[in-house]
């Protein structure tokens, strides 16, 4: 349903109901007052015709599935407007207040006005229900979009957390590698220290032997 068409439709129903009341009031007038009221009604009818043209143009630009229902409504509105035009014509061409009233009674226009008012009331109620349904659909669509945005945000956060975990895992691997290298270096240093101890011990032993040999030759000879 087109929001533009709905707006025109509400305006038309309000104008049509107002014109119906004015026609009923005009049927009891005569002379200059009748002319003024008739001019006011004629201006309202022109405005209603302009709204119908706008609704027709808007409906024909919509999809075929929607267009058919709107054009059916337009036919009802055009018929309603023609009834208002006929009522105005009978009021303005009557012979005074009594003649206009009698003509309305004879032609059954009083009943027609009541029927038109009921029809407009039904159309207004139908339009209000459609607008409420449209509002509920919009609310559901907005809720769905908000839920979708929340889901996207959660997925983005999870992706960032996954990247952080992967980075931490890489850091742990790097630390493990460094610890392994340190262990190798420490092992090599320990082995080198052990070898140096043996070398120093051997040197000390040789020095002791050399001193003993020197002392032996010194005291023996």
């Amino acid at each position: 349903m087109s929001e533009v068409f709905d707006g025109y439709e509400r305006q038309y129903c309000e104008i049509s109901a107002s014109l119906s009341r004015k026609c009923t009031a005009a049927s009891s007038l005569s002379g200059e007052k009748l002319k003024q009221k008739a001019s006011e009604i004629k201006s309202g009818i022109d405005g209603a015709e302009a709204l119908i043209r706008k609704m027709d143009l808007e409906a024909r630009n919509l999809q075929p599935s929607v267009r058919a229902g709107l054009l059916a409504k337009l036919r009802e509105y055009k018929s309603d407007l023609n009834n208002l035009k006929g009522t105005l014509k009978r009021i303005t061409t009557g012979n005074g207040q009594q003649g206009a009233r009698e003509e309305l009674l004879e032609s059954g226009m009083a009943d027609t006005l009541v029927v038109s008012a009921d029809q407009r009331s039904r159309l207004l109620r139908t339009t209000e229900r459609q607008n409420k349904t449209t509002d509920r659909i919009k609310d559901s669509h907005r809720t769905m979009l908000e839920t979708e945005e929340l889901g996207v945000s959660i997925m983005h956060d999870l992706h960032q957390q996954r990247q952080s975990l992967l980075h931490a895992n890489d850091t742990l691997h790097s630390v493990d590698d460094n610890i392994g290298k340190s262990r190798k270096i420490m092992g090599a240093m320990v082995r080198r220290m052990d070898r140096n101890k043996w070398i120093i011990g051997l040197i000390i032993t040789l020095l002791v032997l050399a001193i003993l040999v020197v002392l032996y030759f010194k005291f023996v000879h």
Side-chain angles (χ1 to χ4, degrees):
M1 183 68 68
S2 169
E3 293 184 2
V4 176
F5 186 93
D6 289 343
Y8 292 151
E9 185 178 33
R10 284 193 294 271
Q11 292 180 44
Y12 175 80
C13 290
E14 292 171 359
I15 291 175
S16 179
S18 175
L19 290 174
S20 179
R21 292 191 294 269
K22 290 178 180 178
C23 285
T24 302
S27 65
S28 61
L29 300 177
S30 62
E32 191 63 29
K33 291 183 178 180
L34 176 60
K35 290 181 181 179
Q36 292 178 356
K37 182 62 71 174
S39 176
E40 184 179 343
I41 294 172
K42 178 64 170 60
S43 177
I45 289 175
D46 291 340
E49 282 185 328
L51 283 173
I52 286 180
R53 287 193 296 270
K54 291 179 180 179
M55 283 191 286
D56 184 75
L57 181 62
E58 179 67 21
R60 295 183 186 280
N61 290 328
L62 298 176
Q63 297 177 353
S65 58
V66 179
R67 185 191 310 156
L70 298 184
L71 291 178
K73 281 187 176 183
L74 277 174
R75 286 192 291 270
E76 293 182 6
Y77 295 149
K78 289 177 181 178
S79 176
D80 175 69
L81 188 60
N82 288 331
N83 289 336
L84 289 172
K85 289 180 180 179
T87 301
L88 178 61
K89 183 177 180 181
R90 279 185 286 272
I91 292 172
T92 55
T93 58
N95 295 321
Q97 175 181 349
Q98 185 64 29
R101 185 183 296 108
E102 291 177 355
E103 188 175 356
L104 281 172
L105 292 174
E106 292 173 358
S107 62
M109 281 309 301
D111 293 336
T112 301
L113 290 174
V114 172
V115 172
S116 297
D118 291 340
Q119 184 182 31
R120 280 188 289 273
S121 297
R122 288 195 301 271
L123 289 173
L124 281 172
R125 288 194 295 270
T126 301
T127 301
E128 289 175 358
R129 286 195 297 269
Q130 290 176 343
N131 290 337
K132 290 180 180 178
T133 302
T134 301
D135 291 338
R136 285 195 296 270
I137 293 173
K138 288 180 179 178
D139 290 339
S140 299
H141 183 65
R142 182 167 55 252
T143 301
M144 182 183 66
L145 289 177
E146 291 175 353
T147 304
E148 183 179 355
E149 290 177 357
L150 178 61
V152 171
S153 177
I154 292 173
M155 291 297 294
H156 180 68
D157 291 341
L158 290 174
H159 178 72
Q160 288 185 334
Q161 292 176 6
R162 180 176 179 274
Q163 293 297 323
S164 298
L165 290 173
L166 290 175
H167 180 69
N169 189 39
D170 292 339
T171 303
L172 288 175
H173 283 303
S174 177
V175 171
D176 288 341
D177 292 340
N178 291 332
I179 291 174
K181 291 179 181 178
S182 299
R183 286 177 179 175
K184 290 180 181 179
I185 294 172
M186 291 296 295
M189 291 176 64
V190 169
R191 288 192 297 273
R192 189 176 297 110
M193 289 174 64
D194 290 339
R195 188 170 57 252
N196 291 337
K197 287 180 181 179
W198 284 103
I199 292 172
I200 292 172
L202 180 61
I203 292 173
I204 291 173
T205 302
L206 292 175
L207 288 174
V208 170
L209 290 174
I211 291 170
L212 290 175
V213 170
V214 170
L215 290 174
Y216 173 78
F217 283 106
K218 182 177 180 182
F219 289 106
V220 171
H221 300 285

